[in-house]
Amino acid sequence: SQELEQSPQSLIVQEGKNLTINCTSSKTLYGLYWYKQKYGEGLIFLMMLQKGGEEKSHEKITAKLDEKKQQSSLHITASQPSHAGIYLCGAVPYNNNDMRFGAGTRLTVKP
Amino acid sequence: GAVVSQHPSRVICKSGTSVKIECRSLDFQATTMFWYRQFPKQSLMLMATSNEGSKATYEQGVEKDKFLINHASLTLSTLTVTSAHPEDSSFYICSARLGPYEQYFGPGTRLTVT
């Protein structure tokens, strides 16, 4: 089955600092998704990456997918308290059609 | 964008009773829907894949007789938790597949079994 390893599990940063969350797959991916979630609430779609080497940005969040389509990073620049939450990477592998998730990264931003 | 709704958003039921959760794709048809559950401080775990017009495919370790899934139409899938127990208390999220790369998630249903 698809395994996604996400790191770090938790992250505490001071407001204004940059941070990076990583997601690594054991298999090549159809698509790699990043979501944000506040526990007990639904998922907020952030970005989806499909092509090797692809990079997308939205406001202060940038996501990249490596050329082999097995590793992705999510980078937040000048973090704010509003960035706090759980970040999940999800992936659809080539030989399947359902989405599996990494364990999540719990981000705390201290004002 | 595509919208998926879930009903109810919260439900409290007594141990031994059954509860039904609905997942609807509001502005698109979905031949495939997925059901996930999430325990506190954990990630989403896929429970089953729901295909319209056929039996659901359950992940290993998920009891099909306990978690009944019915994909009655191209816009509706239901998850029924039968004979619920406190350990079934969890956050259940559905998603609907629009294309090979597109899945849209519902807002989730918090189930509490007392």
Side-chain angles (χ1 to χ4, degrees):
Chain A
S1 61
Q2 173 68 31
E3 287 189 4
L4 287 176
E5 289 197 10
Q6 211 174 315
S7 63
Q9 289 187 351
S10 65
L11 194 53
I12 302 173
V13 300
Q14 203 69 38
E15 182 177 1
K17 296 294 185 183
N18 303 336
L19 62 105
T20 300
I21 300 169
N22 294 300
C23 179
T24 302
S25 167
S26 57
K27 297 181 181 178
T28 306
L29 305 168
Y30 253 143
L32 189 290
Y33 300 71
W34 284 100
Y35 293 91
K36 180 184 175 184
Q37 185 191 29
K38 292 190 182 292
Y39 177 68
E41 298 181 13
L43 303 178
I44 300 169
F45 172 77
L46 297 176
M47 271 169 274
M48 190 264 279
L49 305 166
Q50 279 181 251
K51 300 177 183 177
E54 187 174 10
E55 179 176 322
K56 289 186 178 178
S57 293
H58 177 68
E59 297 181 345
K60 295 185 177 180
I61 301 176
T62 300
K64 300 178 185 179
L65 183 62
D66 75 337
E67 290 290 343
K68 291 185 178 180
K69 297 169 62 171
Q70 287 185 273
Q71 188 168 7
S72 178
S73 61
L74 185 81
H75 185 77
I76 299 178
T77 304
S79 59
Q80 301 169 351
S82 60
H83 287 127
I86 302 167
Y87 289 82
L88 294 162
C89 66
V92 178
Y94 274 112
N95 61 348
N96 211 335
N97 66 355
D98 58 61
M99 189 179 299
R100 310 292 174 129
F101 289 89
T105 296
R106 185 177 298 273
L107 173 64
T108 303
V109 180
K110 290 188 172 182
Chain B
V3 178
V4 175
S5 70
Q6 270 183 253
H7 178 80
S9 58
R10 289 176 179 267
V11 58
I12 300 173
C13 70
K14 292 186 177 181
S15 186
T17 62
S18 296
V19 62
K20 181 185 285 188
I21 303 170
E22 292 185 349
C23 177
R24 292 182 186 273
S25 55
L26 297 186
D27 49 3
F28 67 99
Q29 293 182 331
T31 55
T32 304
M33 292 184 174
F34 304 94
W35 287 95
Y36 296 82
R37 68 186 299 182
Q38 184 181 35
F39 290 110
K41 298 187 179 180
Q42 293 188 24
S43 187
L44 279 73
M45 296 299 295
L46 180 67
M47 298 175 66
T49 302
S50 168
N51 296 295
E52 189 269 337
S54 63
K55 291 183 178 180
T57 303
Y58 291 81
E59 294 299 302
Q60 192 173 8
V62 178
E63 299 175 60
K64 59 181 68 176
D65 293 332
K66 181 167 186 63
F67 298 100
L68 300 179
I69 291 172
N70 182 22
H71 198 144
S73 73
L74 288 171
T75 59
L76 173 64
S77 176
T78 60
L79 169 68
T80 301
V81 183
T82 62
S83 187
H85 290 285
E87 56 264 32
D88 297 325
S89 298
S90 188
F91 191 59
Y92 293 86
I93 300 181
C94 72
S95 70
R97 182 165 167 257
L98 179 57
Y101 309 115
E102 296 179 87
Q103 277 193 35
Y104 296 90
F105 287 83
T109 296
R110 176 174 298 286
L111 170 63
T112 302
V113 184
T114 62

